[in-house]
Amino acid sequence: MDKIAKDVGDIQSRLIDHRPVIQGEIRYFVREFEEKRGFRESRLLDNLNKMVVETNEQMLPKCSEHMHQHLFEALTRLEAANHMSQRIQQRALEAQQSTQLQVTIDRRKEDWDEFLKEQQRLKEEVDEEHAKAVGRLSVMYSEMKKDLAKFSRF
């Protein structure tokens, strides 16, 4: 009878107490999760590496070329403005040395005021173009950041 009670107790503990089976399943689940997570992180790092290499090989030269082109244009405009201002200074000096000093000075002052107005207008145009360019670059870099964020989810 003791043997039957012991056997019944063993059967009952196997039917009701699932802890050993559950613990084995938990260990298996944790091991599988860690392995798959490791592979996923490896793939993510590989994708990030590819993206960095692509950026260095394609986007960086393209952005550098674009920057140099616009800097050259700005330099050309600055040289033209510098040349114009030198001509104005030279004319002002010549006017002071002439016999019609007062008439010429008045005329040069008017020219200078017009020049300042024109420069202000040009400055506003350049500032506007600059603001637009900054906006375009901000949009471009935010799009690139979004693209980067898409890859970082993997």
Side-chain angles (χ1 to χ4, degrees), residues 9 11 26 50-51 72 88 133:
I11 292 172
I26 289 172
K50 288 177 186 176
M51 190 169 35
F72 179 73
I88 289 172

Side-chain angles (χ1 to χ4, degrees), residues 100-151:
Q100 301 174 350
L101 182 63
Q102 191 59 38
V103 173
T104 307
I105 288 174
D106 291 340
R107 193 173 347 130
R108 295 297 177 225
K109 284 182 182 179
E110 290 174 9
D111 289 346
W112 180 252
D113 290 339
E114 288 178 22
F115 173 75
L116 288 179
K117 288 178 185 177
E118 178 66 17
Q119 289 303 309
Q120 182 63 29
R121 186 186 64 77
L122 291 173
K123 178 189 169 287
E124 290 171 3
E125 287 180 11
V126 168
D127 287 346
E128 183 178 314
E129 288 178 18
H130 174 73
K132 288 178 183 177
V134 167
R136 287 191 304 268
L137 288 173
S138 296
V139 168
M140 182 177 81
Y141 281 112
S142 67
E143 289 175 1
M144 291 171 70
K145 189 174 181 180
K146 287 177 186 176
D147 292 342
L148 181 63
K150 288 178 185 177
F151 286 108

Side-chain angles (χ1 to χ4, degrees), residues 41-59:
E41 289 176 356
S42 176
R43 286 192 306 267
L44 175 63
L45 290 174
D46 287 341
N47 287 340
L48 287 174
N49 187 32
K50 288 177 186 176
M51 190 169 35
V52 167
V53 168
E54 179 182 318
T55 301
N56 284 339
E57 291 177 354
Q58 294 177 3
M59 297 299 283

